[in-house]
């Protein structure tokens, strides 16, 4: 195992331990009294382990540190956020920090540079914050986009100084909104995933939420349930089903150590369809900080409790089958080859026959049940065409798409069902289907620029896109045709973004230029709130290809697995050598490897995962 994979495995082990320690007994229908902020287990999003934002008096001398602490103040439960922010504000100005109506909303900002501080007069500093406004954090933990009229890049100015008779510094003229820094979101919030069934009820679609670390452990599942009842984030709402209108929780969500108990009002189950109840149980178990070694006891008021085994509910989300070691492939001299680091190493390349596996530029594989699907972009007569096929134990069949293009990107397959795919061709997004020679353009509402890249989430109902160098996500509806809901732009500090794919249910990997002008890979949450740069600086490289393999949401496995091509060289980020070499490619003439054993193979291209 490479050091990178070992590091991720340790992180997953810690988080798994956190989940196992999460249960504690609490009566089902008693009020919970919170004394202080209480202990919270494990690590928050940023891994800092902190539970309590700094107080106003934690920094009495350094204005910059005081300002950074001010940007953490709202990182508590929503009903306490205004009170915590007012603590930093001079008494005579506290009324300027108004109670938001109808709900407490925090403006999450990413600092573009250090706070600019100048001395205005004795004891008073002028502060200017140049920020990227990332989004609005609602009480249900969803980070929603800014209003259309709001500026993404802006500056906040205020003064910091002393107040007669009081210790420490104060904000003298506070901003008109409640600010929360990206660093505070990393440090004082958990990233949690809740789930909604897609409109066809075939797949659970993830929805990222932020849960304050300040929420006591015994209340966390209850808070997540309320978040689920509040409905999906706006960008996925067109593609999923919210819980039925009027659904309410029947009380706290106790955890007895081996059973999670959930009570919902009768509105949650308007029909007596037992399959619908099963789906609701799976949705709840996956959303409420799951431990699938436990049972779920679900009570619909007026009905008898139903008990579900966690293992049965686990199987109702197909992403639990994502592999720790995925199947890896690469294109070499116009043919698809398996990599030796792949799962099923030594087996033949699936689906493809000798007469099909030639002139390949890029490819995508997926598998469902006993059927494996392949899509190949092949070079024919100076143009490129898409060849689509499938194989079962009975044999294989292929169709060549009738339309030819100048350029075709990496084809990707949707899930549930798996026989439909997406591909970027000549700057437009298209859909294709196994068993058909047709390729259909896909409309992207509100976007007019050239499409550079597309990646599909593991649930098959969300996509990530690069359009005109900017990053977007969108939800999919699947009927006779693929319909894309209005895309949501993902704010990030990257510019000139070239490629994107998924490396977890709510995490993207994108290739672009960082604020220092260097090309790099960033891991970015689907809402753009939290981003982490890759340890590998690609300098002035051009990233022309990127493929990710999502982490299993239960076991973790190969978190962040991704392969890419930069300046014509293929890389596997979490392999020891990183550069993919000829000796790692199955089916290559041994004489070629012997002649150049250590050199990267410049004619290796388009690495990808079976996914």
């Amino acid at each position: 195992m490479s050091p990178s994979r070992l590091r991720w495995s340790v992180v997953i082990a810690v988080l798994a331990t956190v989940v196992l320690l999460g249960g504690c007994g609490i009566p089902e229908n008693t009020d919970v009294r919170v004394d202080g902020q209480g202990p919270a287990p494990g690590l928050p999003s940023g891994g800092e382990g902190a539970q309590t934002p700094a107080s106003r008096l934690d920094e009495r001398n350094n204005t910059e540190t005081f300002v950074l602490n001010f940007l953490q103040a709202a990182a508590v439960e929503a009903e306490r956020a205004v009170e915590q922010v007012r603590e930093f504000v001079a008494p005579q100005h506290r009324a300027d920090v108004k109670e938001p109506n109808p709900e407490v909303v925090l403006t999450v900002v990413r600092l573009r540079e250090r706070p600019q501080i100048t001395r205005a007069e004795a004891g008073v500093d002028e502060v200017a914050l140049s920020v990227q406004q990332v989004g609005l954090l609602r009480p249900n933990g969803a980070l929603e986009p800014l209003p259309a009229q709001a500026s993404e890049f802006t500056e906040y100015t205020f003064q910091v100084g002393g107040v007669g008779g009081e210790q420490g510094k104060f904000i003298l003229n506070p901003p008109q909104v409640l600010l929360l820094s990206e660093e505070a979101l990393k440090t004082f919030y958990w990233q949690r995933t809740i789930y909604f069934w897609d409109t066809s009820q075939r797949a659970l679609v993830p929805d990222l939420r932020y849960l304050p670390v300040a929420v006591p452990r015994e209340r966390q599942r209850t808070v997540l349930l309320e978040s689920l009842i509040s409905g999906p984030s706006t960008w996925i709402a067109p593609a999923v089903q919210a819980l039925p209108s009027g659904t309410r929780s029947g009380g706290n969500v106790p955890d007895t150590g081996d059973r999670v108990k959930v009570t919902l009002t009768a509105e949650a189950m308007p029909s007596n369809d037992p399959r619908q109840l099963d789906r609701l149980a799976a949705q709840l178990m996956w959303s409420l900080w799951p431990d699938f070694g436990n049972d779920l006891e679900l009570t619909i008021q007026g009905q008898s409790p139903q008990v579900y085994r966690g293992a049965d509910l686990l199987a109702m989300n197909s992403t639990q089958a994502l592999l720790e070691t995925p199947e890896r492939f690469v294109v070499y001299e116009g043919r698809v080859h398996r990599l030796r680091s792949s799962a099923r190493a030594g087996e033949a390349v699936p689906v493809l026959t000798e007469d099909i596996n030639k002139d390949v530029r890029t490819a995508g594989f997926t598998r469902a049940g006993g059927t494996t699907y392949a899509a190949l972009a092949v070079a024919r007569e100076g143009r490129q065409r898409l060849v689509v096929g499938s194989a079962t134990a009975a044999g294989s069949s292929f169709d060549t798409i009738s339309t030819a293009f100048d350029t075709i990107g990496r084809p990707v397959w949707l899930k549930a069902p798996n026989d439909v795919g997406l591909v970027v061709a000549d700057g437009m997004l298209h859909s294709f289907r196994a068993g058909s020679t047709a390729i259909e353009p896909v409309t992207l509402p509100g976007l007019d620029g050239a499409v550079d890249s597309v990646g599909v989430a593991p649930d098959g109902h969300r996509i990530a896109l690069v359009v005109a160098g900017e990053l977007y996500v969108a939800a999919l509806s699947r009927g006779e045709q693929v319909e894309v809901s209005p895309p949501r732009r993902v704010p990030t500090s990257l510019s000139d973004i070239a490629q994107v794919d998924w490396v977890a249910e709510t995490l993207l990997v994108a290739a672009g230029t960082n604020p220092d002008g260097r090309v790099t890979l960033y891991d970015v949450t689907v809402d753009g709130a939290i981003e982490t740069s890759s340890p590998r600086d690609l300098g002035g490289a051009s990233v022309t290809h990127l493929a990710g393999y999502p982490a299993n949401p239960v076991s973790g496995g190969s978190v962040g697995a991704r392969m890419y091509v930069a300046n014509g060289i293929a890389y596997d980020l979490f392999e020891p050598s990183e550069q993919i070499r000829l000796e790692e490619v199955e089916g290559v003439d041994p004489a070629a490897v012997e002649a150049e054993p250590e050199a990267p193979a410049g004619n290796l291209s388009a690495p990808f995962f079976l996914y």
Side-chain angles (χ1 to χ4, degrees):
M1 178 181 290
S2 71
S4 297
R5 284 187 177 168
L6 178 61
R7 180 176 67 250
W8 281 110
S9 298
V10 171
V11 171
I12 290 299
V14 171
L15 292 177
T17 303
V18 168
V19 171
L20 291 173
L21 294 175
C24 75
I26 179 171
E28 295 183 48
N29 294 296
T30 59
D31 293 331
V32 177
R33 183 171 65 88
V34 182
D35 292 324
Q37 298 182 44
L43 301 175
S45 303
E48 300 297 327
Q51 298 176 22
T52 306
S55 74
R56 181 180 64 83
L57 294 177
D58 282 352
E59 180 50 63
R60 303 188 184 191
N61 298 314
N62 186 291
T63 298
E64 180 175 341
T65 304
F66 173 83
V67 169
L68 296 178
N69 290 346
F70 170 64
L71 296 177
Q72 299 177 357
V76 293
E77 295 179 81
E79 59 269 22
R80 296 178 51 215
V82 172
E83 171 192 349
Q84 291 293 104
V85 171
R86 283 176 176 166
E87 286 294 318
F88 278 76
V89 176
Q92 66 270 28
H93 294 294
R94 285 176 182 167
D96 295 338
V97 182
K98 302 184 185 304
E99 292 282 353
N101 185 23
E103 61 182 7
V104 175
V105 175
L106 309 182
T107 301
V108 179
V109 297
R110 177 177 294 128
L111 293 178
R112 304 178 69 192
E113 60 184 7
R114 293 175 60 178
Q116 299 300 299
I117 301 168
T118 56
R119 179 58 55 91
E121 56 186 81
V124 176
D125 292 326
E126 294 279 1
V127 178
L129 299 178
S130 177
V131 303
Q132 179 184 26
Q133 300 192 112
V134 175
L136 304 178
L137 184 62
R138 296 182 55 213
N140 68 357
L143 190 82
E144 297 288 5
L146 297 170
Q149 68 274 17
S151 298
E152 178 180 348
F153 298 97
T154 191
E155 184 176 89
Y156 288 96
T157 59
F158 49 87
Q159 293 180 325
V160 172
V163 173
E166 299 281 354
Q167 292 184 340
K169 298 177 182 294
F170 290 90
I171 305 292
L172 299 181
N173 53 335
Q176 296 301 300
V177 296
L178 300 177
L179 297 177
L180 184 76
S181 67
E182 175 194 18
E183 286 302 314
L185 189 67
K186 287 181 182 180
T187 305
F188 300 109
Y189 289 80
W190 304 88
Q191 290 184 43
R192 290 285 182 253
T193 307
I194 61 175
Y195 295 82
F196 295 90
W197 285 100
D198 78 288
T199 52
S200 67
Q201 298 188 330
R202 291 180 175 180
L204 282 169
V205 180
D207 196 5
L208 177 60
R209 299 299 165 97
Y210 296 93
L211 180 69
V213 175
V215 176
R217 182 172 60 187
E218 64 270 17
R219 288 191 56 231
Q220 290 181 7
R221 281 194 170 105
T222 301
V223 173
L224 288 171
L225 178 58
E226 293 297 338
S227 183
L228 185 68
I229 291 171
S230 74
S233 298
T234 54
W235 74 277
I236 68 166
V240 301
Q241 290 183 338
L243 294 182
S245 178
T247 298
R248 298 185 307 279
S249 171
N252 300 312
V253 181
D255 185 344
T256 62
D258 59 0
R259 179 170 295 182
V260 177
K261 296 183 178 182
V262 178
T263 300
L264 297 175
T265 56
E267 290 84 353
M269 190 52 55
S271 72
N272 292 321
D273 183 355
R275 294 172 300 177
Q276 187 68 22
L277 191 64
D278 293 346
R279 285 190 285 265
L280 176 60
Q283 180 181 9
L284 290 167
M285 192 65 170
W286 274 90
S287 298
L288 302 183
W289 197 2
D291 175 1
F292 292 103
N294 289 352
D295 295 335
L296 173 71
E297 181 179 304
L298 174 57
T299 302
I300 304 298
Q301 288 181 347
Q303 301 180 23
S304 299
Q306 301 291 320
V307 177
Y308 295 84
R309 293 177 60 246
D312 295 334
L313 301 179
L314 170 69
M316 292 180 71
N317 186 348
S318 62
T319 58
Q320 54 82 27
L322 288 165
L323 301 175
E324 179 177 351
T325 303
E327 295 186 53
R328 290 171 157 86
F329 301 88
V330 70
V331 177
Y332 174 61
E333 294 186 339
R335 293 181 179 272
V336 176
H337 292 257
R338 191 185 291 272
L339 290 173
R340 299 187 191 281
S341 59
S342 169
R344 301 193 179 192
E347 293 187 14
V349 173
V351 188
L352 305 185
T353 59
E354 283 295 318
D355 60 323
I356 293 294
N357 192 11
K358 61 184 180 181
D359 304 321
V360 179
R361 303 296 298 271
T362 186
F365 292 170
T366 192
R367 184 177 291 125
T371 304
T372 304
Y373 299 91
L376 311 174
V378 299
R380 301 277 169 82
E381 299 176 351
R383 303 200 76 193
Q384 296 183 22
R385 293 181 182 270
L386 199 64
V387 176
V388 181
S390 62
T392 64
S396 60
S397 63
F398 295 90
D399 294 284
T400 300
I401 298 299
S402 55
T403 306
F405 299 92
D406 292 329
T407 58
I408 297 178
R410 180 175 65 94
V412 293
W413 291 93
L414 305 181
K415 312 295 179 185
N418 291 54
D419 63 344
V420 177
L422 297 174
V423 68
V424 176
D426 288 352
M428 293 182 61
L429 185 66
H430 297 78
S431 67
F432 59 87
R433 187 181 298 271
S436 172
T437 61
I439 187 168
E440 302 289 342
V442 177
T443 300
L444 300 176
L447 295 183
D448 297 323
V451 182
D452 302 308
S453 178
V454 63
V456 176
D459 53 272
H461 292 271
R462 299 168 300 151
I463 58 174
L465 298 154
V466 177
V467 180
E470 295 191 321
L471 185 58
Y472 295 84
V473 290
L476 296 180
S477 297
R478 308 270 297 278
E480 290 295 321
Q481 295 181 325
V482 174
E483 295 185 6
V484 178
S485 300
R488 169 179 174 172
R489 198 173 72 81
V490 179
T492 170
S493 56
L494 288 176
S495 61
D496 299 323
I497 299 172
Q499 298 288 323
V500 67
D501 207 359
W502 297 75
V503 288
E505 286 189 314
T506 58
L507 190 67
L508 310 173
V509 58
T513 303
N514 69 15
D516 296 327
R518 309 287 289 180
V519 175
T520 189
L521 302 181
Y522 268 28
D523 286 355
V524 185
T525 52
V526 290
D527 51 23
I530 296 175
E531 57 182 27
T532 305
S533 63
S534 165
R536 181 174 177 80
D537 181 352
L538 304 179
S542 173
V543 178
T544 55
H545 176 92
L546 175 63
Y549 187 87
N552 187 306
V554 178
S555 62
S558 53
V559 175
R562 74 288 307 273
M563 298 188 288
Y564 61 97
V565 175
N567 282 354
I569 304 297
Y571 296 88
D572 187 341
L573 186 64
F574 282 172
E575 284 303 305
S577 65
E578 291 196 14
Q579 293 180 353
I580 300 175
R581 301 179 183 276
L582 280 172
E583 61 190 15
E584 301 168 43
V585 181
E586 294 186 355
V588 173
D589 182 356
V593 177
E594 184 176 351
E596 200 176 18
E598 299 298 327
N603 52 353
L604 290 175
S605 63
F608 67 98
F609 303 92
L610 188 152
Y611 161 48

